[in-house]
Amino acid sequence: MVKSYLRYEAQSTFGVICSAGGNAVFDHSGRLSITPALDSVVVWDIKKATQVARWKDSDNTAEVTCIARSANDKDFAVGYADGSIRLFDLQTNAVNVVLNGHRGRVTALQFDATGTVLASGARDTDVVVWDVVGEVGLYRLRGHKDEITGLAFVGSGDARNAGAAGYIVSSSKDTLVKLWDLRAQHCVQTLVTHRSEVWALAVSPDARLLVTATSDADLHVWTIAADRLDSVETQEQGSVETQAQEIVETQAQDGTGDQTTTPRSWDAITEYGTVRRSGSSRVVDLRFHASGQFLACLGTDRVAEIFRVRTHHEIKKKMERRQRRNREKQKKGGDGSGSDAEAEPARSITAADELASFQLVRTSAKPVSLDFDPADSDTAALVRRGSLRILLSQNNNSLHVWSVA
């Protein structure tokens, strides 16, 4: 057999602003953008459109697949296609820690509120919890059957302390969303409502709402009962292990490894309803604003939809107006239907009442990721700015910053 040789071989690349393999995020000040650039990470000054730094480990040749921002204002976790994770320091532009614990592409990274614990998910279906300070892996959570697509911490426990309670919510392409008890290191609840792959999840800053997204036109909204989480936290270690054993036995009886949908008294996550999106394409990214007042949903149909989270006072006024209009319509119809309208029972609040479509942002190419400016973390900062700042990365090697008023 004749062996052919290429006349030209690729030696290096240039002009890479943002590769499509990973997500781009703001820094804590909102002035810089941390973006993947093949096997390295580029820090861009957004206002000047200039490169500030480039993060690259000489021992690494794998592509960047995931980036997460820590709460300590300096550390960023970077996941790679070979399963490794590196922690970079924004102040020194150096690699502080290299973590190796996955056998596949890292697809999800999430720091806890203190920035000392990191959770990672990968294509190998495992969730690994890392101690950033000690630079070691704490434990591995196994239960999903396909690639991990999203992670979120729930609760205020310290995952490094085996006696302290805390929880992680994970989503996967196996259509399941799981709630993990970090003290027992077991799954304590599984949501089996989804009929297709769960591509993204987001938890509100007050840990009250959980939103999951699939490839259909609806966002699934769930409520997280903090009192039930607290009740589990205050129990003895033995009772937690008993609950975990009950779950294992239930999974074994099912034969599929999935939990049944029978509600239990200590289930912390309950279904709230669905919210219709403007598009029906697959969701790429889902993210709450730091103030908890907005939710962004990014789809493959080149549309980023911003939802506004209504307050309970606004919801109450809206329902009163709706009931008043219904009574007026029935009175105009006659036939004594006015008395029926007065006897109409009050409708309970649903997810569609709380989440309202606010703005649509259309991109010029297929979007890859979305991030809110963390500098606008409260209502006062939003009022001063007068608009939302959104960072959008696209698969055509471009990075965009939008101001949504």
Side-chain angles (χ1 to χ4, degrees):
M1 178 182 291
V2 178
K3 187 175 182 180
S4 60
Y5 295 90
L6 296 175
R7 179 175 296 181
Y8 304 102
E9 293 184 358
Q11 181 176 2
S12 62
T13 58
F14 65 95
V16 179
I17 298 173
C18 182
S19 59
N23 63 303
V25 298
F26 277 111
D27 77 323
H28 300 82
S29 64
R31 297 185 303 103
L32 304 177
S33 170
I34 316 300
T35 63
L38 300 179
D39 59 348
S40 59
V41 178
V42 178
V43 181
W44 295 96
D45 188 312
I46 297 175
K47 187 175 182 179
K48 298 179 181 179
T50 58
Q51 179 178 317
V52 177
R54 177 178 289 269
W55 300 344
K56 180 175 174 59
D57 190 348
S58 58
D59 298 331
N60 171 66
T61 58
E63 183 181 5
V64 175
T65 60
C66 191
I67 301 176
R69 180 179 57 243
S70 174
N72 62 6
D73 297 344
K74 65 173 184 176
D75 288 336
F76 287 83
V78 181
Y80 293 85
D82 61 354
S84 62
I85 302 171
R86 288 167 174 81
L87 299 182
F88 288 89
D89 192 324
L90 182 62
Q91 299 175 355
T92 62
N93 298 319
V95 181
N96 289 338
V97 184
V98 179
L99 305 173
N100 292 287
H102 289 288
R103 301 182 305 276
R105 178 189 185 96
V106 178
T107 55
L109 291 171
Q110 182 67 43
F111 282 97
D112 72 336
T114 63
T116 59
V117 178
L118 173 69
S120 63
R123 188 168 288 178
D124 59 7
T125 74
D126 292 344
V127 177
V128 181
V129 181
W130 306 88
D131 181 358
V132 176
V133 179
E135 303 180 5
V136 295
L138 297 175
Y139 37 82
R140 188 183 302 269
L141 305 175
R142 289 175 173 168
H144 284 292
K145 300 178 182 178
D146 208 334
E147 176 182 322
I148 307 297
T149 57
L151 294 170
F153 280 89
V154 178
S156 58
D158 187 355
R160 295 175 299 170
N161 185 358
Y167 297 87
I168 287 180
V169 182
S170 63
S171 63
S172 172
K173 286 185 179 180
D174 61 4
T175 74
L176 301 179
V177 175
K178 291 181 176 290
L179 177 66
W180 303 88
D181 186 349
L182 300 183
R183 176 170 52 182
Q185 300 176 23
H186 281 285
C187 173
V188 295
Q189 186 178 355
T190 301
L191 309 180
V192 296
T193 305
H194 308 91
R195 300 305 177 189
S196 60
E197 295 93 342
V198 182
W199 290 97
L201 70 79
V203 175
S204 60
D206 58 358
R208 186 177 62 87
L209 294 179
L210 167 66
V211 184
T212 57
T214 59
S215 56
D216 56 20
D218 292 327
L219 295 177
H220 297 262
V221 186
W222 314 77
T223 57
I224 303 175
D227 55 344
R228 293 184 181 179
L229 290 177
D230 295 338
S231 65
V232 175
E233 291 177 6
T234 55
Q235 294 177 358
E236 295 294 332
Q237 177 71 16
S239 63
V240 176
E241 293 177 350
T242 302
Q243 291 177 357
Q245 182 64 28
E246 291 176 356
I247 294 172
V248 174
E249 293 175 356
T250 303
Q251 294 174 348
Q253 292 174 1
D254 293 344
T256 60
D258 300 339
Q259 295 183 35
T260 60
T261 57
T262 304
R264 296 175 291 265
S265 59
W266 45 271
D267 279 348
I269 302 178
T270 56
E271 191 170 2
Y272 193 20
T274 59
V275 176
R276 178 70 63 170
R277 298 191 291 122
S278 61
S280 58
S281 63
R282 178 175 68 86
V283 173
V284 177
D285 204 350
L286 195 64
R287 199 171 297 270
F288 269 99
H289 190 265
S291 65
Q293 300 180 18
F294 298 95
L295 171 69
C297 177
L298 185 64
T300 57
D301 55 356
R302 302 184 180 184
V303 174
E305 186 170 6
I306 312 298
F307 293 89
R308 189 173 68 86
V309 182
R310 292 193 179 104
T311 63
H312 284 284
H313 179 67
E314 293 174 336
I315 297 173
K316 184 178 179 181
K317 290 179 63 177
K318 179 185 176 182
M319 296 184 67
E320 290 175 352
R321 289 195 301 267
R322 182 183 300 166
Q323 293 176 359
R324 186 165 56 251
R325 286 195 300 267
N326 291 338
R327 287 195 296 266
E328 291 175 354
K329 289 180 180 179
Q330 293 183 357
K331 285 181 180 179
K332 290 180 180 179
D335 299 332
S337 59
S339 59
D340 296 336
E342 294 177 358
E344 180 184 1
R347 188 173 63 89
S348 59
I349 298 176
T350 63
D353 295 325
E354 189 164 354
L355 293 175
S357 182
F358 173 68
Q359 192 69 264
L360 295 178
V361 177
R362 301 189 181 277
T363 61
S364 58
K366 185 178 178 180
V368 177
S369 67
L370 176 147
D371 191 28
F372 281 113
D373 187 351
D376 303 333
S377 58
D378 54 8
T379 305
L382 285 175
V383 172
R384 287 194 303 267
R385 187 183 295 275
S387 62
L388 291 169
R389 292 184 74 226
I390 299 175
L391 178 67
L392 282 171
S393 63
Q394 300 180 170
N395 69 345
N396 61 348
N397 193 31
S398 64
L399 200 63
H400 301 262
V401 178
W402 291 78
S403 294
V404 180

